[in-house]
Amino acid sequence: MTVQNKRWHYLVFPLFTALLCFSCLVCVQAKTQEEELDLNALSREIQDLEEDYPYPDFEKIFDDIKSFRFLDALEEVGEWFLDTVTYEITSSKILMGELVGVVIFAAVFSNISSSFQQVTIGDSGFLISYFLTFTIIFSNFTIMANLFQNTVVTLSRLLKILLPVYTLTVTATGNLTTGMIFYEYFMILVLVINSLCLNVILPLIEYYLLLELLNHFSVKQNISKLCESLYFLLSRGMKCIFFLFFGFHLLETMVVPSFDTTKNAVLSKMMGMIPGAGSVAQTVIGTVTGSSILIKNTLGVTAIIFILLMLCIPMIKLLLYTLFYLLLAVLLEPVSDERFVKCILAAQKGGILLMYALTLTGSLFILTIAVTSFATNRI
């Protein structure tokens, strides 16, 4: 053996030892990554979001999904859903019975007063019953508006808790640039959507309902076009906001993960060029990255589940609210004044707009997390 070969032999052994130590260090770091996430503290913070009823254990659902025990996770979520729906039904504060009684009273009173020759008697009866109906409709809608506001605030708090943890798992897969840009974009998204929902969309929906109720106060409808334009603006405007933010994030995920993939490929090739130990290092790093991707995707799925859980109860309330008003309008149309029916349908449209806003908001957050998870699955 020549002197040059001996020198090369003495050089390879320290390199192999250093790579072996590095691989062991990476494995230990990957093993403790889930512990560094501190899922127990995250679960406690989520429990503090709502005082009426506790949410399911975040850490347990995460462990069930990571261990492929999907039925156990589904069972826990189903039990929470049934208990919460039962609680909401028994403690509902929407006094729909008052509205039914007032509208039926108005129908009967209008039919009786119409038999008199004096027109003022019928008009006075209509004004009294209309004011009562106006008050009850707007008070019930105020309850729904407060429900919408609390849901948006609670959802924003949940995402502010989950975002740092999820970003950590994204960067652990080797997508450092993607994780940083995702965190910045998602924080801006949460703040902007929260501000738009509370300061723009919700007041406009309330103004729309108020204008609709005032529009049907007289026989001649003077602001019907204004109401139609405001409803069109709200429905189409929320859809445009959704496509604007989601489309921008979609463009980001087409560019930024490519940079991380190229960088990781170059580092992997450089590792493979090391004689004797390159293949071992590549195998270890691939295993560690694969486990990090599993943790990232599991956390993303759990986050999406909790977003859906947070939205399901308000959506059920709003759905029952709109269905009840629709049924009430159908039943009272043959016996009541047409203007009462239009007021009830206006309240139903207001509830539909609230549902539409919550649906688009939740869908935007869920799709953003899902697209980021798919875009960072490359090893």
Side-chain angles (χ1 to χ4, degrees):
M1 183 180 295
T2 61
V3 178
Q4 185 177 2
N5 289 336
K6 289 183 179 180
R7 290 178 179 176
W8 179 252
H9 176 73
Y10 293 138
L11 182 62
V12 169
F13 183 73
L15 284 174
F16 179 76
T17 306
L19 281 173
L20 185 61
C21 294
F22 173 75
S23 301
C24 294
L25 181 62
V26 172
C27 289
V28 172
Q29 183 179 1
K31 187 176 181 179
T32 58
Q33 180 185 358
E34 186 176 343
E35 298 177 358
E36 291 177 357
L37 294 179
D38 199 4
L39 294 177
N40 191 14
L42 181 63
S43 182
R44 290 196 302 268
E45 291 181 359
I46 293 175
Q47 293 291 339
D48 296 336
L49 290 177
E50 187 68 44
E51 297 180 356
D52 294 338
Y53 41 82
Y55 286 102
D57 190 358
F58 186 91
E59 186 177 8
K60 186 177 184 306
I61 295 179
F62 176 86
D63 293 334
D64 290 339
I65 296 176
K66 185 171 67 67
S67 303
F68 307 112
R69 298 193 302 267
F70 300 110
L71 292 179
D72 294 341
L74 181 62
E75 181 179 359
E76 183 168 355
V77 171
E79 291 178 357
W80 176 87
F81 179 77
L82 291 177
D83 294 340
T84 306
V85 169
T86 304
Y87 171 80
E88 290 296 336
I89 291 176
T90 55
S91 61
S92 179
K93 298 179 181 180
I94 304 176
L95 303 179
M96 293 294 184
E98 295 182 1
L99 182 62
V100 177
V102 170
V103 176
I104 292 177
F105 166 77
V108 175
F109 191 83
S110 298
N111 290 329
I112 294 177
S113 59
S114 62
S115 60
F116 293 92
Q117 295 181 353
Q118 291 85 355
V119 182
T120 56
I121 297 179
D123 293 338
S124 301
F126 172 78
L127 289 177
I128 294 173
S129 56
Y130 192 89
F131 283 140
L132 290 175
T133 307
F134 183 101
T135 304
I136 294 175
I137 287 178
F138 212 80
S139 62
N140 286 335
F141 187 81
T142 302
I143 296 175
M144 292 295 99
N146 292 334
L147 174 66
F148 175 84
Q149 182 177 0
N150 295 334
T151 304
V152 172
V153 172
T154 307
L155 186 60
S156 300
R157 292 173 57 193
L158 173 68
L159 292 172
K160 290 177 183 178
I161 294 172
L162 292 175
L163 276 180
V165 183
Y166 182 74
T167 305
L168 177 62
T169 60
V170 172
T171 55
T173 60
N175 296 278
L176 180 61
T177 307
T178 304
M180 294 174 58
I181 293 179
F182 168 79
Y183 182 76
E184 294 175 356
Y185 172 78
F186 214 125
M187 286 300 296
I188 294 174
L189 178 66
V190 171
L191 294 175
V192 171
I193 294 298
N194 183 73
S195 179
L196 284 176
C197 288
L198 299 182
N199 300 324
V200 178
I201 295 177
L202 182 58
L204 285 178
I205 295 176
E206 292 177 339
Y207 290 149
Y208 164 75
L209 178 60
L210 181 61
L211 290 175
E212 281 280 11
L213 295 178
L214 292 176
N215 184 39
H216 301 300
F217 181 75
S218 60
V219 178
K220 184 180 179 181
Q221 300 178 3
N222 299 319
I223 54 175
S224 59
K225 296 300 180 182
L226 176 61
C227 296
E228 293 176 2
S229 302
L230 187 56
Y231 184 84
F232 179 82
L233 176 64
L234 284 168
S235 58
R236 296 297 186 271
M238 288 186 287
K239 187 179 295 186
C240 291
I241 291 173
F242 171 81
F243 284 110
L244 177 65
F245 282 103
F246 180 68
F248 184 77
H249 180 67
L250 198 61
L251 294 177
E252 283 184 340
T253 54
M254 293 172 62
V255 178
V256 181
S258 309
F259 173 77
D260 288 325
T261 303
T262 306
K263 176 191 64 178
N264 295 334
V266 172
L267 292 176
S268 178
K269 292 295 183 182
M270 292 176 62
M271 282 289 188
M273 293 174 62
I274 300 176
S279 60
V280 178
Q282 284 181 329
T283 303
V284 172
I285 293 176
T287 304
V288 171
T289 306
S291 63
S292 300
I293 290 176
L294 175 62
I295 294 174
K296 170 186 66 70
N297 291 339
T298 305
L299 186 63
V301 171
T302 311
I304 290 175
I305 289 175
F306 268 78
I307 292 175
L308 292 174
L309 290 179
M310 192 163 291
L311 290 175
C312 66
I313 300 303
M315 290 297 292
I316 290 175
K317 285 184 176 181
L318 290 173
L319 180 62
L320 293 176
Y321 172 86
T322 55
L323 288 179
F324 179 84
Y325 274 113
L326 178 61
L327 179 62
L328 188 61
V330 171
L331 294 177
L332 294 179
E333 185 177 12
V335 296
S336 181
D337 192 284
E338 182 183 1
R339 288 172 285 180
F340 286 106
V341 177
K342 290 182 178 180
C343 286
I344 295 173
L345 291 177
Q348 183 218 5
K349 289 182 179 180
I352 291 175
L353 288 175
L354 292 178
M355 289 180 59
Y356 197 60
L358 278 184
T359 302
L360 291 181
T361 301
S363 300
L364 181 59
F365 293 147
I366 289 172
L367 289 176
T368 302
I369 296 175
V371 169
T372 304
S373 296
F374 281 118
T376 55
N377 279 341
R378 301 174 184 175
I379 299 179

